[in-house]
Amino acid sequence: MHVDQIILQSVIAHRLDTIAQEMGIALERSSRSPIFAEACDFSCGVCNQKGELVSQLNGIPILAAAGSFSVQAVLAKYGDNIKEGDIFIVNDPYWGGNHLPDIGIITPVFYQGELVFFTVSRAHHGDIGGAVAGSYNTGATEIFQEGIRIPPTKVASQNIIIDEVLNLITYNTRNPEMLRSDLFAQIGANKIGHDRLRALLGKYGLEKVKESVGQLLQKAEDLTRIEISKFPPGTYVGEEWLDDDGFQQEPVKIKVAVTFKNNEVIIDFTESDKQVTGFVNSALVTTTSAAYIALLWTLSPEIPRNSGAFRPVKVIAPTGTVVNPAEPAPVTLSTLHCASEIISAILKACGKIVPERIPAGFGRYCGPSFYGVDPRNEKFYVGFAFCCLGSGGGMKGRDGLPYMAPISNYGGVRAPNNEANEVQYPLLTLRHHLEIDTAGAGKYRGAPGVKYQVEFYGPDPSIVMFGDGMKIGPYGLEGGEEGSLNKNQLVTKKKGSECLKSKTPPLSLQPGDTLTLFSSGGGGWGNPYERDPQLVYEDYKNGYISKENALKAYGVVLTDKGVQWSETEKIRGLGDLS
């Protein structure tokens, strides 16, 4: 390739990435819902005319990787009937979506009468209807109980919103004004991407841009195949488990066989459990997206995260399994769990080849949605406990990071500001800090979990507890120890103190009731006795570990002034550590 072509390709690639980022900034700043504006639970991207992902704002990885499936669903339904000025909406997990609360907005981009791109925003909305406010229905046995299903549907024509469609969707939710406003924020973000892409085409010309996009996808494919070919041929097996599905008490197995063959990879979930009754089932879009995330993590951070990188990967997920349930199985929790367990199972399998690239286990989400009427404005609200996010696992060369959320989100969801949370919702934050002795021990430890305590003061508040990780902790790797389990304590005027299950149906509370959440610490990587004792002391000073646990987990004897080196040497059975 001529040097001028290389430079042009690089310029266009960076411009496409910037457009996706600009879409994300616009979405964050124009939205009303705290889920968008505070937690940033969304992703934006650009696809080509075939629905192949070209660039993305990483945001929430499980959403970003799924963006192309929504576009392909629109293409499959509308084909040549897609016109300039159309806008489409979709959320159906069995038709291009991943779970109902994540609504995708798809905007085609035409230039000189030709369909060239799609801009895509996919975002989590606070309520999408169904039997439970917040749409995390722990008792759902079919998707119809989880909310309104939106197949690929035209929501605008000739740049004019089709009010009948938008009204039908928002009418079926508990906070229609908020949903409508946030959908317009997505439409606006897509419009910014649309206009920037048109400007890009105008500057460099249709043929040069299309050629560069094709080269970008081919480059990603080539890099992926090169990295795959470096792995020894063979099949590597990994397993991960969910606590339960809320109905059965037995754990739910995710088992994967990852086969490296020449320059291709087969990811086979055939031996995973059959689909279950509860809402941890993962529709194929979510499963495939999770598989891409895990494999590319294993291969190289230098590979562009676009559809070219997905071409050498084949995913086998038999219908009727927990990773590809038959319709109409419920799936709402799946973008957290079992998506995170799918990623973890693949990482464990690949860790048998390249353990130095693989992190220990991440904390699982286990917290409530809460809802009611805010006495300050008499408006209905739905909120989520983003402030109790679990923490990340350690990996070779670094300790885990706190507030990472499940690995399917990988830090994309932000922990909101406590004061902003108290403005948005009728609750008070009583405690919010990293919790001592929760991090999985290792040469590179996991990050500590979080203690988060709130008091509700609105009239008749209700909560729904959803999540996992109260029975199965974040795994350790290469001799590292597990992170802590999720825990909680609800204190009510009626019942006193009780521990809620990870999947608890709606509970009515009273003003003054409190909920304390203890989120998981990440798993440790490597033998804890190989951790530098001085780092253990620093963890003690920071309140991450007690003296007792420093001795028990690391063989390090501490005083308030520092490491007792002679005693530590005896316990560890090593030479001079100073």
Side-chain angles (χ1 to χ4, degrees), residues 131-155:
V132 173
S135 303
Y136 279 95
N137 182 0
T138 58
T141 57
E142 54 185 10
I143 195 171
F144 308 113
Q145 299 161 350
E146 297 188 292
I148 183 171
R149 296 173 69 181
I150 310 169
T153 301
K154 189 180 295 186
V155 74

Side-chain angles (χ1 to χ4, degrees), residues 80 91 124 141 253 271 283 308 330 362 388 391 412 449 470 486 496 505 507-508 520 560 563-564 569:
D80 294 335
N91 80 339
H124 188 112
T141 57
K253 179 179 68 175
E271 294 190 47
F362 278 48
C388 71
S391 295
M470 292 184 69
N486 286 314
L507 290 174
S508 296
S520 302
D560 290 339
V563 178
Q564 283 277 20
E569 291 168 14

Side-chain angles (χ1 to χ4, degrees), residues 38-320:
E38 288 283 329
C40 295
D41 194 349
F42 60 77
S43 188
C44 300
V46 175
C47 292
N48 67 7
Q49 78 283 4
K50 297 179 182 179
E52 295 176 300
L53 185 65
V54 175
S55 66
Q56 60 173 298
L57 166 70
N58 284 334
I60 309 302
I62 200 67
L63 303 189
S68 62
F69 292 99
S70 296
V71 177
Q72 290 163 14
V74 168
L75 283 165
K77 180 176 179 180
Y78 289 92
D80 294 335
N81 291 321
I82 298 173
K83 308 298 181 183
E84 190 164 1
D86 288 345
I87 301 174
F88 301 91
I89 187 170
V90 61
N91 80 339
D92 189 347
Y94 295 101
W95 200 348
N98 46 12
H99 73 166
L100 296 181
D102 291 338
I103 297 179
I105 297 291
I106 297 98
T107 304
V109 180
F110 285 81
Y111 187 75
Q112 297 177 350
E114 181 178 339
L115 176 59
V116 186
F117 291 113
F118 291 90
T119 55
V120 184
S121 59
R122 187 189 286 264
H124 188 112
H125 293 263
D127 182 81
I128 196 64
V132 173
S135 303
Y136 279 95
N137 182 0
T138 58
T141 57
E142 54 185 10
I143 195 171
F144 308 113
Q145 299 161 350
E146 297 188 292
I148 183 171
R149 296 173 69 181
I150 310 169
T153 301
K154 189 180 295 186
V155 74
S157 179
Q158 297 181 345
N159 291 315
I160 298 174
I161 296 296
I162 304 171
D163 285 327
E164 288 85 353
V165 172
L166 193 60
N167 290 341
L168 176 63
I169 293 169
T170 58
Y171 188 79
N172 280 279
T173 67
R174 294 172 176 81
N175 202 337
E177 291 182 7
M178 182 75 78
L179 176 59
R180 188 181 184 91
S181 173
D182 284 345
L183 288 175
F184 276 120
Q186 287 185 251
I187 291 169
N190 281 21
K191 177 64 164 57
I192 286 176
H194 171 280
D195 293 348
R196 300 297 185 265
L197 289 167
R198 293 262 303 180
L200 177 71
L201 289 160
K203 182 173 183 177
Y204 296 107
L206 177 60
E207 293 307 317
K208 286 185 178 179
V209 171
K210 287 173 62 178
E211 181 182 0
S212 291
V213 168
Q215 291 168 346
L216 289 173
L217 294 172
Q218 187 60 51
K219 178 182 178 182
E221 178 182 353
D222 292 343
L223 288 173
T224 303
R225 293 189 185 278
I226 289 170
E227 291 300 322
I228 291 171
S229 66
K230 295 178 181 178
F231 282 66
T235 298
Y236 306 89
V237 177
E239 287 185 0
E240 187 59 296
W241 302 79
L242 293 95
D243 286 353
D244 52 58
D245 73 335
F247 290 86
Q248 67 185 47
Q249 294 306 305
E250 297 78 14
V252 181
K253 179 179 68 175
I254 308 296
K255 186 172 182 178
V256 64
V258 182
T259 299
F260 290 84
K261 185 178 181 181
N262 299 324
N263 58 2
E264 295 180 343
V265 171
I266 299 171
I267 300 177
D268 188 351
F269 293 98
T270 299
E271 294 190 47
S272 293
D273 277 353
K274 299 297 183 184
Q275 69 185 67
V276 292
T277 303
F279 66 164
V280 303
N281 296 294
S282 175
L284 188 57
V285 168
T286 299
T287 293
T288 305
S289 301
Y292 292 157
I293 291 168
L295 183 67
L296 291 176
W297 185 325
T298 299
L299 294 178
S300 171
E302 303 302 321
I303 298 173
R305 268 46 179 175
N306 63 41
S307 287
F310 307 155
R311 292 171 181 168
V313 185
K314 180 181 180 181
V315 176
I316 299 173
T319 302

Side-chain angles (χ1 to χ4, degrees), residues 487-531:
K487 298 187 296 182
N488 66 74
Q489 181 185 37
L490 176 66
V491 179
T492 63
K493 296 177 180 178
K494 287 185 176 179
K495 294 186 177 181
S497 178
E498 63 178 313
C499 176
L500 303 178
K501 294 181 179 180
S502 63
K503 301 164 186 70
T504 299
L507 290 174
S508 296
L509 305 181
Q510 293 181 332
D513 290 348
T514 63
L515 177 65
T516 306
L517 302 165
F518 298 87
S519 68
S520 302
W525 194 101
N527 184 349
Y529 272 48
E530 294 180 7
R531 185 169 179 81

